[in-house]
Amino acid sequence: MDQWQPVEAQLLSAKLNTHHGDDSTTYQALASYRYYFRGTAYESDRVGIMSGSDNIGSWQEDKARALKRALAKGGSISVYVNPDQPQKAVIYRELRWGMLGFKFIFVVVFGGVGVGLLVFSFYHRSATVPDLSTTSEAWLANKDWHNPIRSNAKAGLWGAWIFAIVWNAISSPIPFILPEELAKGNYPALIALLFPIIGAGLLVWAISATRQWLRFGPSPLRLNPYPGAIGGQVGGEVDVRLPYDANMAVAVTLACVHSYYSGSGKDRSRRESVEWQKD
């Protein structure tokens, strides 16, 4: 629309429609106008880029008031016409950042969930325990039992960033909407600032997880002996990116965890209990 040409138009009508729902009220600025372009008369009723009613900020109410004032003063306004399709025109062609932020929530949430499910489906590894009766090394087919064993730090890193991005996307319209609400005297709306504040905390958490990953790396555990035997020895070493320091103190916790499923159908869930632990 930057290339659309401004022309003088005559307002024919202007009003504000109010729609009352079960739990909210939305508004829509309506107008009709006539204009001439290259000697031909046209009529249009397009007010802004986005159509429909909403209550994101006070844009609809402000534009309806402005159009009513212009109609009362004679109805002369300026509109923007598409030179290639003169039947298309608009009064206000500026972007509504609050509305864009609101719609961006759906892009991030639904699009992000969709992409996440695709990635999860592609990289998901079966946790089914192989049948040990076929051969003594059948268990090697399970990727979760490969040696070395990588940590889950990278998965936690991705989880932190995805959660932080989704949360901040949902709360992103608040800084655009809040000033308009305060101008109306709606001071209780200040409680909405909690959402961007929490979002900032989530970003700090994601950055901290990233720094931890960059510091320690995947930290693979290489078992020796491999595999560890029930009633025998369990040992190995963990490789980290930290430079060697003879004075470094490292705390290690070894736990025997009983992991099992309980219930059936929709009520089936995985449970874990620590049978033995030593630091």
Side-chain angles (χ1 to χ4, degrees), residues 41-84:
Y42 299 93
E43 288 190 9
S44 178
D45 58 3
R46 189 175 185 182
V47 176
I49 294 178
M50 301 178 182
S51 60
S53 60
D54 63 80
N55 54 11
I56 305 299
S58 59
W59 189 92
Q60 300 282 4
E61 299 162 277
D62 295 341
K63 299 310 181 187
R65 281 194 293 266
L67 292 171
K68 287 180 180 179
R69 287 195 298 266
L71 185 62
K73 294 180 180 180
S76 179
I77 61 172
S78 179
V79 301
Y80 297 92
V81 179
N82 184 349
D84 298 325

Side-chain angles (χ1 to χ4, degrees), residues 110-124:
F110 291 101
V113 169
V115 172
L117 288 173
L118 288 174
V119 173
F120 176 79
S121 300
F122 185 77
Y123 288 102
H124 178 63

Side-chain angles (χ1 to χ4, degrees), residues 15-263:
K15 65 178 181 177
L16 177 68
N17 263 9
T18 304
H19 306 273
H20 298 284
D22 294 335
D23 54 0
S24 65
T25 301
T26 59
Y27 307 92
Q28 183 179 11
L30 299 175
S32 61
Y33 47 93
R34 181 185 296 114
Y35 59 94
Y36 290 87
F37 190 79
R38 295 173 183 169
T40 303
Y42 299 93
E43 288 190 9
S44 178
D45 58 3
R46 189 175 185 182
V47 176
I49 294 178
M50 301 178 182
S51 60
S53 60
D54 63 80
N55 54 11
I56 305 299
S58 59
W59 189 92
Q60 300 282 4
E61 299 162 277
D62 295 341
K63 299 310 181 187
R65 281 194 293 266
L67 292 171
K68 287 180 180 179
R69 287 195 298 266
L71 185 62
K73 294 180 180 180
S76 179
I77 61 172
S78 179
V79 301
Y80 297 92
V81 179
N82 184 349
D84 298 325
Q85 296 175 295
Q87 70 276 13
K88 293 184 177 182
V90 66
I91 302 176
Y92 303 106
R93 61 178 180 177
E94 69 268 17
L95 293 174
R96 295 178 58 191
W97 295 107
M99 178 62 75
L100 287 175
F102 176 73
K103 292 189 174 185
F104 188 67
I105 293 174
F106 299 93
V107 176
V108 172
V109 174
F110 291 101
V113 169
V115 172
L117 288 173
L118 288 174
V119 173
F120 176 79
S121 300
F122 185 77
Y123 288 102
H124 178 63
R125 298 177 297 179
S126 174
T128 303
V129 178
D131 183 7
L132 302 182
S133 62
T134 56
T135 173
S136 61
E137 296 185 353
W139 55 274
L140 290 173
N142 192 325
K143 294 181 179 180
D144 290 336
W145 291 358
H146 284 184
N147 194 28
I149 302 170
R150 294 183 177 272
S151 71
N152 60 358
K154 191 173 185 179
L157 168 65
W158 280 105
W161 276 109
I162 291 173
F163 190 60
I165 291 173
V166 170
W167 182 281
N168 281 280
I170 293 175
S171 59
S172 60
I174 293 176
F176 299 99
I177 301 172
L178 195 58
E180 298 179 355
E181 294 298 321
L182 294 177
K184 297 178 184 178
N186 184 14
Y187 295 106
L190 285 171
I191 196 172
L193 286 175
L194 287 174
F195 291 93
I197 292 174
I198 294 174
L202 291 173
L203 285 175
V204 172
W205 170 47
I207 293 172
S208 176
T210 303
R211 294 181 61 184
Q212 185 176 12
W213 167 261
L214 295 175
R215 184 184 183 192
F216 296 105
S219 306
L221 165 64
R222 188 176 302 276
L223 294 175
N224 184 21
Y226 174 68
I230 296 177
Q233 292 184 337
V234 175
E237 59 185 18
V238 179
D239 294 332
V240 294
R241 292 175 178 169
L242 296 177
Y244 174 74
D245 184 354
N247 297 320
M248 181 182 297
V250 179
V252 178
T253 301
L254 183 64
C256 176
V257 180
H258 179 204
S259 178
Y260 60 97
Y261 288 94
S262 64

